[in-house]
Amino acid sequence: MNIDQLASALRHDEGFMENVTAWKTIPPREGQMVDFPASMDKRLTQVLTKRGITKLYTHQASAWEAAVEQKDYVVVTPTASGKTLCYNLPVLSAILKNQDSRALYLFPTKALALDQAGSLYELIEAMDVDVKAYTYDGDTQAAARKAIRQAGHIVVTNPDMLHANILPHHTKWVKLFENLQYIVIDEIHTYRGVFGSHLANVLRRLIRLCEFYGSKPRFILCSATIANPAELGETLTGRPIVKIDNNGAPVGKKHFVFYNPPVVNRQLGIRKGVLNETRFIAEQLLL
C-alpha cells in the first residue's frame, strides 16, 4: 500500500475519520530548473550529465551565482532538495581552476560527515581528477593525518575536531590556512544555545588565523527550513549573509492530518495513547 492508497483507505474509514479534526492536502509541484551556468567547469557539467542531471534547480543556480560574486550565503531548502551541490560545485570548481585551493567542511556529527564525504568521493572519482578529499576526525589514523594536513584539498571534519585538534596546531596546517577559499557549514539550525555559542567563537578563531596566514575564505551555509536563517548565519560567522530560499526541487503531494485519539474515559477526559494510535496507522503500510 502506497501513501495515496493509505490516504484513500483512511478517508473511507468512519472510525478513523470521526477522530480527524482537520485534513489539509497540498498539491504536488514540478521542479523549477535552469541550464548549467556558462561559467561552470565543463568537467563538472559532463559528470553531472552522465549522472542524469542535465540542469540545475533554481536554488542551486542561485548558489552558484552567489559563489561567483564572492558572497557568503546560506541555502535554506527542504530535505533531499539537492543542497549538497550548492557547495560541492563551487568548491570543486575553485580547486579545478587552482590546485592550491583548499576548503573546510564542517558537519555537526561524524555520521553526517562520512555520508557527505562519500558523495563527494563519488563525484571526484567520476571526474577522474586529482582532488583529494579526506575525513578528519577522532577515528582518522595517525599516519593519514600528516597526509591530510599537507595534501588535502577538502578537509571534512566537525566543530570539536576544529576546536581541539586543528586550530591549536595551526602551524601544522599552513597549507590549508594559506589557501583556504571556502568554509562550508551544514545543518546550521543545529547550532543553538551553548553549542551555537561555542561554534561562533571557534569560527572567530578560525577567521583570525586565516587573516594571519593571508587568506580570505567565504562561507557557504546550509540549513533546514527555519524562520531566520540569514540572522543565524550572521550571528555564527559575524558577516553579512545572503539568503537563498528559492527552492526549485520538485515537491510531492502532502497530507497534513490532525488526528485526536478517541476518548476512553469521558469523565476523566482520558484518551487512547498516541503511541498505540500511531502504531495502528503505521501498520497499515505493512499490509
Side-chain angles (χ1 to χ4, degrees), residues 270-286:
I270 299 175
R271 295 180 177 273
K272 280 189 176 181
V274 174
L275 182 61
N276 289 333
E277 291 296 289
T278 303
R279 183 174 62 185
F280 165 75
I281 297 172
E283 286 174 350
Q284 308 308 306
L285 292 170
L286 301 177

Side-chain angles (χ1 to χ4, degrees), residues 206-227:
L206 172 60
I207 293 171
R208 287 198 300 271
L209 276 175
C210 290
E211 291 176 351
F212 176 78
Y213 285 102
S215 63
K216 296 181 179 179
R218 284 159 282 164
F219 283 97
I220 301 178
L221 314 176
C222 294
S223 173
T225 305
I226 55 176

Side-chain angles (χ1 to χ4, degrees), residues 4 8 17 22 29-30 34 48 63 69 74 105 119 122 127 130 188 205 219 244:
D4 287 334
S8 177
M17 290 302 297
R29 189 195 69 191
E30 294 185 358
V34 296
L48 291 176
E69 295 171 4
V74 57
Y105 285 22
S119 300
E122 291 176 3
M127 286 193 295
D130 184 25
I188 67 167
R205 290 174 58 203
F219 283 97
I244 297 175

